[in-house]
Amino acid sequence: MNKIFEVPLYAYEASPDQSAPAPVRHKVIVVGAGPVGLAAAIDLAQQGVEVLVLDDNDKVSFGSRAICFAKRPLEILDRLGCGQPMVDKGVLWNKGKVFFDERQVYEFDLQPDSGDQRPAFINLQQYYFEQFLVDRVRELQAQGAPIEIRGRNKVEAVGTHPDHVKLEVETPEGSYTIEADWVIACDGAGSPMRAMMGKDFVGRVFEDNFLIADVIMEADFPSERWFWFDPPFNKGQSALLHKQPDGVWRIDLQLGWDIDKEREKRPENVIPRLKAMLGEDVNFELEWVSIYTFQCRRMEQFRHGRVIFAGDSAHQVSPFGARGANSGVQDTDNLCWKLKLVIDGKAPESLLDSYDQERIHGADENILNSTRSTDFITPKSQMSRILRDAVLDLSEHYDFARPMVNSGRLSVPCVYDGSPLNSADALNGPSQTRPGASCPDAPLGDDFLLPKLAGRFTLLTIDADAPDEIEVDGITVKRLALSVKDDPTLTLKRRYLGDATGAVYLIRPDQHVAARRDTYEENAFRHAVRRATGKE
Amino acid sequence: MAELILSPNLTQADDFYADLVAAHEGLEKSESDAFNARLVLVLANHIGDNAILKQALEAAALKQE
């Protein structure tokens, strides 16, 4: 059977650019057709920005890799027009079990957070995730959107100039040169773009190896996340079992530092390990096996003139907590509306520096969280292991210790506190929706709030007056007028008003709050729009 | 800000000390270490105030002000 990751989805085809007498200039070139590069390209194309994606391969990611996609990225994907197929295909789960040594110490239920259209997360193979993004690219192309993917186009050299970037691209039919006003480098943790530009990537190396195996099983394991600390089948180490669509299970086994990777990867060594874990009589087939080590590190700056790094090329975290692809999609969500305004001449180029500030803040938060998870899962000293084991032993008997058990803190959106784009908070409202926060969803009858805030500046009024539209330096801000009565569940009131009786929110195109007040004040909101677009 | 109590606060200090030592009787070193770790976590949860706990961490480190 042909797996989706074995089929070329964007096979190489010669482009007229390759035989052009002079290098053809594109508006934006995205390097890398992974989850982050494709999300960036779709976002720009939806806004009418001409974008070309170059990838050194012609297929979606080999093997599952990223499998857990969180609520915020799913909301972003809704805006990009491909959230629904992902949720339809993905596995929903809300029960987790934690094992220590030979026993289950506790289990937990993640109650669905009522009031949100999207679940806390879904499990979905990365190759499906990418396939749905490629499907969306094809759909946009059919509608005439200016988007193109070129497979087996490998960037071999980069030349940066004040007003453009020059790329030397290798193809099966030789190399050619093209130019772009802007380049977004989404070429992964090993980023050749970063290496070619000689930029550093510093951080912490974790001396540990993990065996990752995706197995196809007929067994009837429930849709739960099982995490083992120090299990009998992997003494002194950890293990994880998690379900993906199509009866594929993700198994993650910590192996330690001093191992022979090539030897451990061989099926004759992998299969006994899995049998010890799953039981002798469980039938399974290996879909994908890999051994990985990881680092937590980031670039000092994500923007280098007209080359902007996003996703793993800019920051790398441990896999615990699903913060890789999830944070990369949030990078592009932050970047693309800013780039569109700059390209249209409606905002100064310096607006792009706020991408650096906001997403470095996000990356640092992700690195901190994933480092803490890693330190809990793989204690680095005798005493930290004693404390870790004490937490696990207590968690079996007492609720209080369970929040300290850290097998990965699930990705939640970062609040851009202190961002230069925020205006001072002028509402005595909930902290959850303070300036810098990403808007939480709320049910509005048969519909939800977030789809109504998509892709442009919005003035959200809740039981407050404001003009239907204001224009500030060529940027149109449209009002969305709501009342607490629109949501009988009172989620809207709880999340956006708190004790206030009315509120006016200025919401950015990426659904983050830029400013809020109890009433509309023309001058304050004009300043807030200017501030949110890098003009003040 | 709440302040860590560093003046005498146990009404029966000798009793508590004797109980603490007794709790370790018959334990191997590794079992004692684990016991102490659990005790610290139980007490920390009861205190429940990060500012106090930070002061306690500093006090236990015996750093001079």
Side-chain angles (χ1 to χ4, degrees), chain A residues 386-387 390-391 394 400, chain B residues 33 37-38 41-42 45:
Chain A
I386 290 169
L387 287 164
V391 167
L394 287 166
F400 87 82
Chain B
D33 286 346
R38 292 196 295 271
L41 293 166
V42 166
N45 181 66

Side-chain angles (χ1 to χ4, degrees), chain A residues 164-180:
Chain A
H164 73 282
V165 182
K166 195 176 275 207
L167 300 176
E168 187 78 23
V169 182
E170 181 70 31
T171 76
E173 297 179 300
S175 66
Y176 67 107
T177 303
I178 40 174
E179 296 176 351

Side-chain angles (χ1 to χ4, degrees), chain A residues 142-191:
Chain A
Q143 293 163 10
I147 183 169
E148 184 188 348
I149 310 178
R150 290 186 196 163
R152 299 179 71 191
N153 271 241
K154 186 175 194 287
V155 177
E156 292 280 1
V158 186
T160 53
H161 302 272
D163 65 341
H164 73 282
V165 182
K166 195 176 275 207
L167 300 176
E168 187 78 23
V169 182
E170 181 70 31
T171 76
E173 297 179 300
S175 66
Y176 67 107
T177 303
I178 40 174
E179 296 176 351
D181 288 353
W182 298 93
V183 168
I184 308 178
C186 309
D187 51 349
S191 177

Side-chain angles (χ1 to χ4, degrees), chain A residues 49 193 443 519:
Chain A
V49 176
M193 286 289 291
T519 56

